[in-house]
Amino acid sequence: KNDLSTKEIGSRIIYFDTIDSTNNYSKRIAKDTPHGTIIISEEQSGGRGRLGRNWISPKGEGIWMSILLKPEIPPTEGMKMTQIAAAAACQAIRDVTALEAYIKWPNDIVVHGKKVCGILTEMAGELNQIDYLIVGIGINANNLSFPKEFKDVATSLAIEKGEKVDRKTLILDLLSKFEALYCHYIMEGKLDETLSIIRNYSAVLGKSVRIIKGNQECYAIVEEINDEGCLKVRYEDGEEELLISGEVSIRGK
Ligand code: BT5
């Protein structure tokens, strides 16, 4: 049964018990599948993070889903979808669980300093117009343990809250928030509502962070998240730089 209150996001829902990756599957069917389709799986055997990293996605414990979108935008605007998803996920986690979730620019949601959610946006198309865009959202909802190499960096909503989270309630809330922010951006060209959530709940704004770009690492203070959603940082030598999401990872100092 479909309890979604949204109009376009979730117009179609494809559900799996297990799949390699909901983003991979979305890519395989993207051409012939309508805008707004949600692909969701109980388990991913090859869940992916950015830059070829793995995303562990055990059965029945998380929310592993992709949103297939076909907006009329150039690829340069695509990364704004990551921010819209991050804002929607952070706000939904706060509203549904009452946990203090923060956004670690550009694509992580953290609770008590550990990652509960990651977002992977991928797209295909031409220079001036994308064919499609896939927003992959992974939320550790009810995982009760993690492999030991993740213990210090990852957690779940259930671990932090001390009780299980109703995944369906969270998904419905997240999608309705995503649709509102997405439509506001697409129809009016405005990212303001997304940015106010991102700034309000930023885990990095005003903080000293470690920036990892390829195999380079340096320290900087985060001065601003600008109106395009880019991060303005000042390095220790006084130099400033505008970072575009997708090219960097950020760690606490
Ligand atoms: C991300 O990458 O955070 C994006 C994760 C996107 C996952 C969703 S699930 C649905 C859709 N289908 C997919 O195949 N992917 C998307 P990144 O910023 O590169 O972070 C990856 C890093 O997070 C890994 O290198 C690990 O250190 C850590 N990690 C892996 N699994 C994790 C988990 N379940 N929870 C927290 N951290 C994790």
Side-chain angles (χ1 to χ4, degrees), residues 21-23 44 46-51 53-57 63-66 107-108 115 117-120 136-138 140 143 146 150 153-155:
S21 143
T22 57
N23 268 37
Q44 297 184 117
R48 290 189 294 113
R50 297 180 301 159
L51 305 169
R53 294 191 278 254
N54 291 328
W55 182 259
I56 52 164
S57 322
I63 296 170
W64 324 126
M65 74 175 175
S66 301
N107 71 317
D108 292 355
K115 184 158 168 173
C117 168
I119 294 156
L120 174 66
I137 304 174
N140 301 322
N143 317 45
F146 285 89
F150 291 118
V153 293
T155 189

PDB file of all heavy atoms in Angstrom, residues 21-23 44 46-51 53-57 63-66 107-108 115 117-120 136-138 140 143 146 150 153-155, ligand 1:
ATOM      1  N   SER A  21      23.066  -2.717  -6.022  1.00  0.00           N
ATOM      2  CA  SER A  21      23.036  -1.344  -5.498  1.00  0.00           C
ATOM      3  C   SER A  21      21.829  -0.663  -6.122  1.00  0.00           C
ATOM      4  O   SER A  21      21.594  -0.803  -7.327  1.00  0.00           O
ATOM      5  CB  SER A  21      24.338  -0.617  -5.885  1.00  0.00           C
ATOM      6  OG  SER A  21      24.101   0.738  -6.186  1.00  0.00           O
ATOM      7  N   THR A  22      21.061   0.046  -5.331  1.00  0.00           N
ATOM      8  CA  THR A  22      19.863   0.705  -5.886  1.00  0.00           C
ATOM      9  C   THR A  22      20.270   1.775  -6.906  1.00  0.00           C
ATOM     10  O   THR A  22      19.541   2.035  -7.863  1.00  0.00           O
ATOM     11  CB  THR A  22      18.969   1.306  -4.786  1.00  0.00           C
ATOM     12  OG1 THR A  22      19.746   2.226  -4.011  1.00  0.00           O
ATOM     13  CG2 THR A  22      18.401   0.232  -3.873  1.00  0.00           C
ATOM     14  N   ASN A  23      21.451   2.382  -6.714  1.00  0.00           N
ATOM     15  CA  ASN A  23      21.923   3.346  -7.721  1.00  0.00           C
ATOM     16  C   ASN A  23      22.269   2.634  -9.028  1.00  0.00           C
ATOM     17  O   ASN A  23      21.929   3.122 -10.108  1.00  0.00           O
ATOM     18  CB  ASN A  23      23.159   4.105  -7.215  1.00  0.00           C
ATOM     19  CG  ASN A  23      22.800   5.399  -6.503  1.00  0.00           C
ATOM     20  OD1 ASN A  23      21.792   5.462  -5.798  1.00  0.00           O
ATOM     21  ND2 ASN A  23      23.616   6.419  -6.651  1.00  0.00           N
ATOM     22  N   GLN A  44      21.759  -4.456   0.115  1.00  0.00           N
ATOM     23  CA  GLN A  44      22.563  -4.247  -1.092  1.00  0.00           C
ATOM     24  C   GLN A  44      23.818  -5.107  -0.970  1.00  0.00           C
ATOM     25  O   GLN A  44      24.513  -5.052   0.057  1.00  0.00           O
ATOM     26  CB  GLN A  44      22.972  -2.791  -1.237  1.00  0.00           C
ATOM     27  CG  GLN A  44      21.807  -1.829  -1.409  1.00  0.00           C
ATOM     28  CD  GLN A  44      22.271  -0.405  -1.647  1.00  0.00           C
ATOM     29  OE1 GLN A  44      22.013   0.176  -2.686  1.00  0.00           O
ATOM     30  NE2 GLN A  44      22.969   0.176  -0.682  1.00  0.00           N
ATOM     31  N   GLY A  46      26.328  -4.797  -3.125  1.00  0.00           N
ATOM     32  CA  GLY A  46      27.459  -3.981  -3.576  1.00  0.00           C
ATOM     33  C   GLY A  46      27.139  -2.508  -3.421  1.00  0.00           C
ATOM     34  O   GLY A  46      27.323  -1.725  -4.359  1.00  0.00           O
ATOM     35  N   GLY A  47      26.674  -2.126  -2.246  1.00  0.00           N
ATOM     36  CA  GLY A  47      26.345  -0.725  -1.983  1.00  0.00           C
ATOM     37  C   GLY A  47      27.589   0.130  -2.173  1.00  0.00           C
ATOM     38  O   GLY A  47      28.693  -0.274  -1.815  1.00  0.00           O
ATOM     39  N   ARG A  48      27.404   1.310  -2.754  1.00  0.00           N
ATOM     40  CA  ARG A  48      28.554   2.155  -3.089  1.00  0.00           C
ATOM     41  C   ARG A  48      28.505   3.503  -2.406  1.00  0.00           C
ATOM     42  O   ARG A  48      27.450   4.097  -2.245  1.00  0.00           O
ATOM     43  CB  ARG A  48      28.605   2.380  -4.601  1.00  0.00           C
ATOM     44  CG  ARG A  48      28.969   1.134  -5.389  1.00  0.00           C
ATOM     45  CD  ARG A  48      29.208   1.457  -6.849  1.00  0.00           C
ATOM     46  NE  ARG A  48      27.987   1.905  -7.508  1.00  0.00           N
ATOM     47  CZ  ARG A  48      27.802   3.138  -7.962  1.00  0.00           C
ATOM     48  NH1 ARG A  48      28.743   4.047  -7.834  1.00  0.00           N
ATOM     49  NH2 ARG A  48      26.667   3.463  -8.551  1.00  0.00           N
ATOM     50  N   GLY A  49      29.679   3.981  -2.010  1.00  0.00           N
ATOM     51  CA  GLY A  49      29.844   5.359  -1.564  1.00  0.00           C
ATOM     52  C   GLY A  49      30.456   6.148  -2.711  1.00  0.00           C
ATOM     53  O   GLY A  49      30.426   5.699  -3.855  1.00  0.00           O
ATOM     54  N   ARG A  50      31.015   7.305  -2.407  1.00  0.00           N
ATOM     55  CA  ARG A  50      31.649   8.098  -3.460  1.00  0.00           C
ATOM     56  C   ARG A  50      33.019   7.514  -3.797  1.00  0.00           C
ATOM     57  O   ARG A  50      33.604   6.788  -2.998  1.00  0.00           O
ATOM     58  CB  ARG A  50      31.813   9.551  -2.985  1.00  0.00           C
ATOM     59  CG  ARG A  50      30.461  10.222  -2.714  1.00  0.00           C
ATOM     60  CD  ARG A  50      30.659  11.652  -2.245  1.00  0.00           C
ATOM     61  NE  ARG A  50      31.466  11.697  -1.033  1.00  0.00           N
ATOM     62  CZ  ARG A  50      32.122  12.784  -0.627  1.00  0.00           C
ATOM     63  NH1 ARG A  50      32.085  13.888  -1.316  1.00  0.00           N
ATOM     64  NH2 ARG A  50      32.822  12.754   0.495  1.00  0.00           N
ATOM     65  N   LEU A  51      33.520   7.857  -4.977  1.00  0.00           N
ATOM     66  CA  LEU A  51      34.879   7.504  -5.392  1.00  0.00           C
ATOM     67  C   LEU A  51      35.218   6.034  -5.187  1.00  0.00           C
ATOM     68  O   LEU A  51      36.290   5.681  -4.710  1.00  0.00           O
ATOM     69  CB  LEU A  51      35.898   8.371  -4.622  1.00  0.00           C
ATOM     70  CG  LEU A  51      35.686   9.888  -4.725  1.00  0.00           C
ATOM     71  CD1 LEU A  51      36.566  10.621  -3.733  1.00  0.00           C
ATOM     72  CD2 LEU A  51      35.967  10.380  -6.143  1.00  0.00           C
ATOM     73  N   ARG A  53      34.171   3.918  -3.069  1.00  0.00           N
ATOM     74  CA  ARG A  53      34.150   3.364  -1.710  1.00  0.00           C
ATOM     75  C   ARG A  53      32.918   2.477  -1.507  1.00  0.00           C
ATOM     76  O   ARG A  53      31.939   2.578  -2.226  1.00  0.00           O
ATOM     77  CB  ARG A  53      34.157   4.507  -0.688  1.00  0.00           C
ATOM     78  CG  ARG A  53      35.453   5.296  -0.713  1.00  0.00           C
ATOM     79  CD  ARG A  53      35.546   6.235   0.475  1.00  0.00           C
ATOM     80  NE  ARG A  53      34.812   7.461   0.234  1.00  0.00           N
ATOM     81  CZ  ARG A  53      35.387   8.630  -0.026  1.00  0.00           C
ATOM     82  NH1 ARG A  53      36.699   8.738  -0.084  1.00  0.00           N
ATOM     83  NH2 ARG A  53      34.657   9.715  -0.209  1.00  0.00           N
ATOM     84  N   ASN A  54      32.997   1.605  -0.497  1.00  0.00           N
ATOM     85  CA  ASN A  54      31.873   0.707  -0.213  1.00  0.00           C
ATOM     86  C   ASN A  54      30.898   1.344   0.755  1.00  0.00           C
ATOM     87  O   ASN A  54      31.279   2.133   1.608  1.00  0.00           O
ATOM     88  CB  ASN A  54      32.367  -0.590   0.452  1.00  0.00           C
ATOM     89  CG  ASN A  54      33.152  -1.432  -0.517  1.00  0.00           C
ATOM     90  OD1 ASN A  54      32.881  -1.417  -1.722  1.00  0.00           O
ATOM     91  ND2 ASN A  54      34.124  -2.149  -0.003  1.00  0.00           N
ATOM     92  N   TRP A  55      29.647   0.917   0.630  1.00  0.00           N
ATOM     93  CA  TRP A  55      28.630   1.325   1.609  1.00  0.00           C
ATOM     94  C   TRP A  55      28.002   0.050   2.145  1.00  0.00           C
ATOM     95  O   TRP A  55      27.354  -0.682   1.395  1.00  0.00           O
ATOM     96  CB  TRP A  55      27.568   2.211   0.958  1.00  0.00           C
ATOM     97  CG  TRP A  55      26.547   2.673   1.940  1.00  0.00           C
ATOM     98  CD1 TRP A  55      25.295   2.147   2.105  1.00  0.00           C
ATOM     99  CD2 TRP A  55      26.675   3.722   2.897  1.00  0.00           C
ATOM    100  NE1 TRP A  55      24.645   2.815   3.114  1.00  0.00           N
ATOM    101  CE2 TRP A  55      25.463   3.778   3.624  1.00  0.00           C
ATOM    102  CE3 TRP A  55      27.708   4.610   3.233  1.00  0.00           C
ATOM    103  CZ2 TRP A  55      25.255   4.702   4.650  1.00  0.00           C
ATOM    104  CZ3 TRP A  55      27.494   5.526   4.250  1.00  0.00           C
ATOM    105  CH2 TRP A  55      26.285   5.576   4.945  1.00  0.00           C
ATOM    106  N   ILE A  56      28.228  -0.257   3.409  1.00  0.00           N
ATOM    107  CA  ILE A  56      27.681  -1.506   3.930  1.00  0.00           C
ATOM    108  C   ILE A  56      26.174  -1.358   4.158  1.00  0.00           C
ATOM    109  O   ILE A  56      25.708  -0.389   4.737  1.00  0.00           O
ATOM    110  CB  ILE A  56      28.409  -1.998   5.200  1.00  0.00           C
ATOM    111  CG1 ILE A  56      28.484  -0.907   6.259  1.00  0.00           C
ATOM    112  CG2 ILE A  56      29.816  -2.500   4.879  1.00  0.00           C
ATOM    113  CD1 ILE A  56      28.826  -1.456   7.625  1.00  0.00           C
ATOM    114  N   SER A  57      25.448  -2.342   3.653  1.00  0.00           N
ATOM    115  CA  SER A  57      23.989  -2.232   3.568  1.00  0.00           C
ATOM    116  C   SER A  57      23.312  -3.539   3.973  1.00  0.00           C
ATOM    117  O   SER A  57      22.709  -4.225   3.154  1.00  0.00           O
ATOM    118  CB  SER A  57      23.589  -1.904   2.127  1.00  0.00           C
ATOM    119  OG  SER A  57      24.470  -1.010   1.505  1.00  0.00           O
ATOM    120  N   ILE A  63      17.790   1.949   5.421  1.00  0.00           N
ATOM    121  CA  ILE A  63      17.000   2.465   4.314  1.00  0.00           C
ATOM    122  C   ILE A  63      17.995   2.671   3.181  1.00  0.00           C
ATOM    123  O   ILE A  63      18.880   3.532   3.272  1.00  0.00           O
ATOM    124  CB  ILE A  63      16.319   3.791   4.707  1.00  0.00           C
ATOM    125  CG1 ILE A  63      15.314   3.547   5.834  1.00  0.00           C
ATOM    126  CG2 ILE A  63      15.653   4.433   3.497  1.00  0.00           C
ATOM    127  CD1 ILE A  63      14.754   4.817   6.459  1.00  0.00           C
ATOM    128  N   TRP A  64      17.899   1.823   2.195  1.00  0.00           N
ATOM    129  CA  TRP A  64      18.811   1.912   1.051  1.00  0.00           C
ATOM    130  C   TRP A  64      17.937   2.226  -0.164  1.00  0.00           C
ATOM    131  O   TRP A  64      17.195   1.370  -0.623  1.00  0.00           O
ATOM    132  CB  TRP A  64      19.594   0.604   0.836  1.00  0.00           C
ATOM    133  CG  TRP A  64      19.986  -0.131   2.096  1.00  0.00           C
ATOM    134  CD1 TRP A  64      19.715  -1.429   2.387  1.00  0.00           C
ATOM    135  CD2 TRP A  64      20.749   0.367   3.213  1.00  0.00           C
ATOM    136  NE1 TRP A  64      20.238  -1.766   3.620  1.00  0.00           N
ATOM    137  CE2 TRP A  64      20.870  -0.687   4.157  1.00  0.00           C
ATOM    138  CE3 TRP A  64      21.340   1.604   3.529  1.00  0.00           C
ATOM    139  CZ2 TRP A  64      21.547  -0.546   5.374  1.00  0.00           C
ATOM    140  CZ3 TRP A  64      22.003   1.744   4.747  1.00  0.00           C
ATOM    141  CH2 TRP A  64      22.115   0.692   5.637  1.00  0.00           C
ATOM    142  N   MET A  65      17.998   3.455  -0.626  1.00  0.00           N
ATOM    143  CA  MET A  65      17.086   3.798  -1.721  1.00  0.00           C
ATOM    144  C   MET A  65      17.672   4.828  -2.675  1.00  0.00           C
ATOM    145  O   MET A  65      18.610   5.548  -2.339  1.00  0.00           O
ATOM    146  CB  MET A  65      15.748   4.296  -1.170  1.00  0.00           C
ATOM    147  CG  MET A  65      15.777   5.665  -0.588  1.00  0.00           C
ATOM    148  SD  MET A  65      14.067   6.138  -0.135  1.00  0.00           S
ATOM    149  CE  MET A  65      14.417   7.697   0.645  1.00  0.00           C
ATOM    150  N   SER A  66      17.105   4.845  -3.867  1.00  0.00           N
ATOM    151  CA  SER A  66      17.508   5.827  -4.880  1.00  0.00           C
ATOM    152  C   SER A  66      16.264   6.515  -5.419  1.00  0.00           C
ATOM    153  O   SER A  66      15.213   5.898  -5.537  1.00  0.00           O
ATOM    154  CB  SER A  66      18.235   5.142  -6.038  1.00  0.00           C
ATOM    155  OG  SER A  66      19.376   4.462  -5.570  1.00  0.00           O
ATOM    156  N   ASN A 107      27.790  15.584   2.025  1.00  0.00           N
ATOM    157  CA  ASN A 107      26.863  14.472   1.798  1.00  0.00           C
ATOM    158  C   ASN A 107      26.622  13.545   2.983  1.00  0.00           C
ATOM    159  O   ASN A 107      26.102  12.453   2.796  1.00  0.00           O
ATOM    160  CB  ASN A 107      27.342  13.631   0.596  1.00  0.00           C
ATOM    161  CG  ASN A 107      28.582  12.835   0.923  1.00  0.00           C
ATOM    162  OD1 ASN A 107      29.498  13.362   1.552  1.00  0.00           O
ATOM    163  ND2 ASN A 107      28.604  11.586   0.553  1.00  0.00           N
ATOM    164  N   ASP A 108      27.011  13.959   4.175  1.00  0.00           N
ATOM    165  CA  ASP A 108      26.836  13.076   5.328  1.00  0.00           C
ATOM    166  C   ASP A 108      25.879  13.681   6.346  1.00  0.00           C
ATOM    167  O   ASP A 108      25.869  14.891   6.549  1.00  0.00           O
ATOM    168  CB  ASP A 108      28.160  12.892   6.093  1.00  0.00           C
ATOM    169  CG  ASP A 108      29.184  12.108   5.312  1.00  0.00           C
ATOM    170  OD1 ASP A 108      28.864  11.620   4.224  1.00  0.00           O
ATOM    171  OD2 ASP A 108      30.315  12.003   5.822  1.00  0.00           O
ATOM    172  N   LYS A 115      28.551   8.910  11.584  1.00  0.00           N
ATOM    173  CA  LYS A 115      27.719   8.964  10.376  1.00  0.00           C
ATOM    174  C   LYS A 115      26.519   8.022  10.450  1.00  0.00           C
ATOM    175  O   LYS A 115      26.650   6.842  10.717  1.00  0.00           O
ATOM    176  CB  LYS A 115      28.620   8.583   9.191  1.00  0.00           C
ATOM    177  CG  LYS A 115      28.002   8.660   7.832  1.00  0.00           C
ATOM    178  CD  LYS A 115      29.121   8.791   6.807  1.00  0.00           C
ATOM    179  CE  LYS A 115      28.648   8.576   5.395  1.00  0.00           C
ATOM    180  NZ  LYS A 115      29.713   8.872   4.425  1.00  0.00           N
ATOM    181  N   CYS A 117      24.005   8.603   7.873  1.00  0.00           N
ATOM    182  CA  CYS A 117      23.415   8.682   6.537  1.00  0.00           C
ATOM    183  C   CYS A 117      24.437   9.235   5.554  1.00  0.00           C
ATOM    184  O   CYS A 117      25.206  10.138   5.899  1.00  0.00           O
ATOM    185  CB  CYS A 117      22.183   9.603   6.595  1.00  0.00           C
ATOM    186  SG  CYS A 117      21.503  10.102   5.001  1.00  0.00           S
ATOM    187  N   GLY A 118      24.454   8.658   4.356  1.00  0.00           N
ATOM    188  CA  GLY A 118      25.312   9.163   3.283  1.00  0.00           C
ATOM    189  C   GLY A 118      24.512   9.286   2.007  1.00  0.00           C
ATOM    190  O   GLY A 118      23.536   8.559   1.804  1.00  0.00           O
ATOM    191  N   ILE A 119      24.915  10.216   1.170  1.00  0.00           N
ATOM    192  CA  ILE A 119      24.185  10.463  -0.075  1.00  0.00           C
ATOM    193  C   ILE A 119      25.152  10.380  -1.255  1.00  0.00           C
ATOM    194  O   ILE A 119      26.276  10.893  -1.185  1.00  0.00           O
ATOM    195  CB  ILE A 119      23.508  11.850  -0.022  1.00  0.00           C
ATOM    196  CG1 ILE A 119      22.421  11.822   1.065  1.00  0.00           C
ATOM    197  CG2 ILE A 119      22.895  12.234  -1.373  1.00  0.00           C
ATOM    198  CD1 ILE A 119      22.084  13.148   1.629  1.00  0.00           C
ATOM    199  N   LEU A 120      24.719   9.702  -2.292  1.00  0.00           N
ATOM    200  CA  LEU A 120      25.538   9.559  -3.496  1.00  0.00           C
ATOM    201  C   LEU A 120      24.703   9.960  -4.707  1.00  0.00           C
ATOM    202  O   LEU A 120      23.790   9.253  -5.101  1.00  0.00           O
ATOM    203  CB  LEU A 120      25.993   8.099  -3.639  1.00  0.00           C
ATOM    204  CG  LEU A 120      26.740   7.749  -4.926  1.00  0.00           C
ATOM    205  CD1 LEU A 120      28.088   8.460  -4.997  1.00  0.00           C
ATOM    206  CD2 LEU A 120      26.952   6.232  -5.028  1.00  0.00           C
ATOM    207  N   GLY A 136      21.065   8.695  -4.464  1.00  0.00           N
ATOM    208  CA  GLY A 136      21.092   7.517  -3.594  1.00  0.00           C
ATOM    209  C   GLY A 136      21.200   7.958  -2.144  1.00  0.00           C
ATOM    210  O   GLY A 136      22.045   8.786  -1.798  1.00  0.00           O
ATOM    211  N   ILE A 137      20.319   7.429  -1.326  1.00  0.00           N
ATOM    212  CA  ILE A 137      20.314   7.803   0.098  1.00  0.00           C
ATOM    213  C   ILE A 137      20.424   6.532   0.931  1.00  0.00           C
ATOM    214  O   ILE A 137      19.628   5.605   0.765  1.00  0.00           O
ATOM    215  CB  ILE A 137      19.014   8.556   0.462  1.00  0.00           C
ATOM    216  CG1 ILE A 137      18.837   9.788  -0.439  1.00  0.00           C
ATOM    217  CG2 ILE A 137      19.022   8.963   1.946  1.00  0.00           C
ATOM    218  CD1 ILE A 137      17.504  10.520  -0.254  1.00  0.00           C
ATOM    219  N   GLY A 138      21.424   6.484   1.783  1.00  0.00           N
ATOM    220  CA  GLY A 138      21.584   5.341   2.681  1.00  0.00           C
ATOM    221  C   GLY A 138      21.460   5.814   4.124  1.00  0.00           C
ATOM    222  O   GLY A 138      22.183   6.721   4.538  1.00  0.00           O
ATOM    223  N   ASN A 140      21.404   4.435   8.110  1.00  0.00           N
ATOM    224  CA  ASN A 140      21.510   3.359   9.096  1.00  0.00           C
ATOM    225  C   ASN A 140      20.378   3.564  10.091  1.00  0.00           C
ATOM    226  O   ASN A 140      20.494   4.347  11.026  1.00  0.00           O
ATOM    227  CB  ASN A 140      22.846   3.426   9.835  1.00  0.00           C
ATOM    228  CG  ASN A 140      24.028   3.308   8.893  1.00  0.00           C
ATOM    229  OD1 ASN A 140      23.994   2.541   7.930  1.00  0.00           O
ATOM    230  ND2 ASN A 140      25.064   4.072   9.158  1.00  0.00           N
ATOM    231  N   ASN A 143      20.380  -0.717  12.338  1.00  0.00           N
ATOM    232  CA  ASN A 143      21.580  -1.546  12.544  1.00  0.00           C
ATOM    233  C   ASN A 143      21.909  -1.537  14.032  1.00  0.00           C
ATOM    234  O   ASN A 143      21.884  -0.475  14.657  1.00  0.00           O
ATOM    235  CB  ASN A 143      22.803  -0.960  11.832  1.00  0.00           C
ATOM    236  CG  ASN A 143      22.526  -0.450  10.439  1.00  0.00           C
ATOM    237  OD1 ASN A 143      21.528   0.230  10.219  1.00  0.00           O
ATOM    238  ND2 ASN A 143      23.394  -0.755   9.516  1.00  0.00           N
ATOM    239  N   PHE A 146      28.190  -2.695  13.904  1.00  0.00           N
ATOM    240  CA  PHE A 146      28.946  -2.405  12.688  1.00  0.00           C
ATOM    241  C   PHE A 146      30.240  -3.198  12.724  1.00  0.00           C
ATOM    242  O   PHE A 146      30.740  -3.497  13.815  1.00  0.00           O
ATOM    243  CB  PHE A 146      29.277  -0.909  12.620  1.00  0.00           C
ATOM    244  CG  PHE A 146      28.084  -0.065  12.259  1.00  0.00           C
ATOM    245  CD1 PHE A 146      27.247   0.430  13.261  1.00  0.00           C
ATOM    246  CD2 PHE A 146      27.785   0.217  10.945  1.00  0.00           C
ATOM    247  CE1 PHE A 146      26.138   1.189  12.939  1.00  0.00           C
ATOM    248  CE2 PHE A 146      26.677   0.980  10.611  1.00  0.00           C
ATOM    249  CZ  PHE A 146      25.856   1.468  11.602  1.00  0.00           C
ATOM    250  N   PHE A 150      34.437   0.189  11.448  1.00  0.00           N
ATOM    251  CA  PHE A 150      33.518   1.328  11.336  1.00  0.00           C
ATOM    252  C   PHE A 150      33.061   1.863  12.697  1.00  0.00           C
ATOM    253  O   PHE A 150      32.352   2.860  12.753  1.00  0.00           O
ATOM    254  CB  PHE A 150      32.260   0.924  10.559  1.00  0.00           C
ATOM    255  CG  PHE A 150      32.508   0.651   9.110  1.00  0.00           C
ATOM    256  CD1 PHE A 150      32.258  -0.604   8.578  1.00  0.00           C
ATOM    257  CD2 PHE A 150      32.991   1.646   8.283  1.00  0.00           C
ATOM    258  CE1 PHE A 150      32.492  -0.863   7.238  1.00  0.00           C
ATOM    259  CE2 PHE A 150      33.224   1.398   6.943  1.00  0.00           C
ATOM    260  CZ  PHE A 150      32.974   0.134   6.423  1.00  0.00           C
ATOM    261  N   VAL A 153      33.340   5.534  13.429  1.00  0.00           N
ATOM    262  CA  VAL A 153      32.847   6.510  12.450  1.00  0.00           C
ATOM    263  C   VAL A 153      31.372   6.370  12.112  1.00  0.00           C
ATOM    264  O   VAL A 153      30.747   7.311  11.636  1.00  0.00           O
ATOM    265  CB  VAL A 153      33.672   6.469  11.138  1.00  0.00           C
ATOM    266  CG1 VAL A 153      35.097   6.951  11.369  1.00  0.00           C
ATOM    267  CG2 VAL A 153      33.673   5.071  10.520  1.00  0.00           C
ATOM    268  N   ALA A 154      30.816   5.163  12.340  1.00  0.00           N
ATOM    269  CA  ALA A 154      29.434   4.934  11.914  1.00  0.00           C
ATOM    270  C   ALA A 154      28.538   4.593  13.098  1.00  0.00           C
ATOM    271  O   ALA A 154      28.974   3.987  14.072  1.00  0.00           O
ATOM    272  CB  ALA A 154      29.391   3.791  10.898  1.00  0.00           C
ATOM    273  N   THR A 155      27.288   4.986  12.997  1.00  0.00           N
ATOM    274  CA  THR A 155      26.308   4.582  14.002  1.00  0.00           C
ATOM    275  C   THR A 155      24.939   4.512  13.315  1.00  0.00           C
ATOM    276  O   THR A 155      24.823   4.787  12.128  1.00  0.00           O
ATOM    277  CB  THR A 155      26.297   5.552  15.203  1.00  0.00           C
ATOM    278  OG1 THR A 155      25.483   5.005  16.248  1.00  0.00           O
ATOM    279  CG2 THR A 155      25.745   6.922  14.819  1.00  0.00           C
TER     280      THR A 155
HETATM  281  C1  BT5 B   1      28.562   8.039   0.987  1.00  0.00           C
HETATM  282  O1  BT5 B   1      29.798   7.912   0.416  1.00  0.00           O
HETATM  283  O2  BT5 B   1      28.364   8.380   2.117  1.00  0.00           O
HETATM  284  C2  BT5 B   1      27.387   7.694   0.058  1.00  0.00           C
HETATM  285  C3  BT5 B   1      26.587   6.525   0.541  1.00  0.00           C
HETATM  286  C4  BT5 B   1      25.377   6.298  -0.331  1.00  0.00           C
HETATM  287  C5  BT5 B   1      24.674   5.006  -0.021  1.00  0.00           C
HETATM  288  C6  BT5 B   1      23.387   4.860  -0.788  1.00  0.00           C
HETATM  289  S1  BT5 B   1      22.451   3.482  -0.283  1.00  0.00           S
HETATM  290  C7  BT5 B   1      21.423   3.602  -1.656  1.00  0.00           C
HETATM  291  C8  BT5 B   1      22.297   3.975  -2.828  1.00  0.00           C
HETATM  292  N1  BT5 B   1      22.850   2.809  -3.477  1.00  0.00           N
HETATM  293  C9  BT5 B   1      24.192   2.760  -3.369  1.00  0.00           C
HETATM  294  O3  BT5 B   1      24.920   1.846  -3.834  1.00  0.00           O
HETATM  295  N2  BT5 B   1      24.632   3.828  -2.680  1.00  0.00           N
HETATM  296  C10 BT5 B   1      23.541   4.704  -2.302  1.00  0.00           C
HETATM  297  P1  BT5 B   1      31.170   8.381   1.077  1.00  0.00           P
HETATM  298  O4  BT5 B   1      31.080   9.790   1.539  1.00  0.00           O
HETATM  299  O5  BT5 B   1      32.198   8.036   0.063  1.00  0.00           O
HETATM  300  O6  BT5 B   1      31.319   7.472   2.346  1.00  0.00           O
HETATM  301  C11 BT5 B   1      31.691   6.120   2.249  1.00  0.00           C
HETATM  302  C12 BT5 B   1      32.446   5.745   3.506  1.00  0.00           C
HETATM  303  O7  BT5 B   1      31.546   5.655   4.618  1.00  0.00           O
HETATM  304  C13 BT5 B   1      33.093   4.358   3.437  1.00  0.00           C
HETATM  305  O8  BT5 B   1      34.393   4.447   2.913  1.00  0.00           O
HETATM  306  C14 BT5 B   1      33.107   3.917   4.907  1.00  0.00           C
HETATM  307  O9  BT5 B   1      34.194   4.463   5.589  1.00  0.00           O
HETATM  308  C15 BT5 B   1      31.858   4.564   5.462  1.00  0.00           C
HETATM  309  N3  BT5 B   1      30.702   3.659   5.474  1.00  0.00           N
HETATM  310  C16 BT5 B   1      30.433   2.581   4.703  1.00  0.00           C
HETATM  311  N4  BT5 B   1      29.247   2.056   4.990  1.00  0.00           N
HETATM  312  C17 BT5 B   1      28.729   2.819   5.973  1.00  0.00           C
HETATM  313  C18 BT5 B   1      27.507   2.806   6.693  1.00  0.00           C
HETATM  314  N5  BT5 B   1      26.533   1.914   6.462  1.00  0.00           N
HETATM  315  N6  BT5 B   1      27.337   3.768   7.625  1.00  0.00           N
HETATM  316  C19 BT5 B   1      28.254   4.703   7.881  1.00  0.00           C
HETATM  317  N7  BT5 B   1      29.436   4.770   7.234  1.00  0.00           N
HETATM  318  C20 BT5 B   1      29.660   3.847   6.293  1.00  0.00           C
END
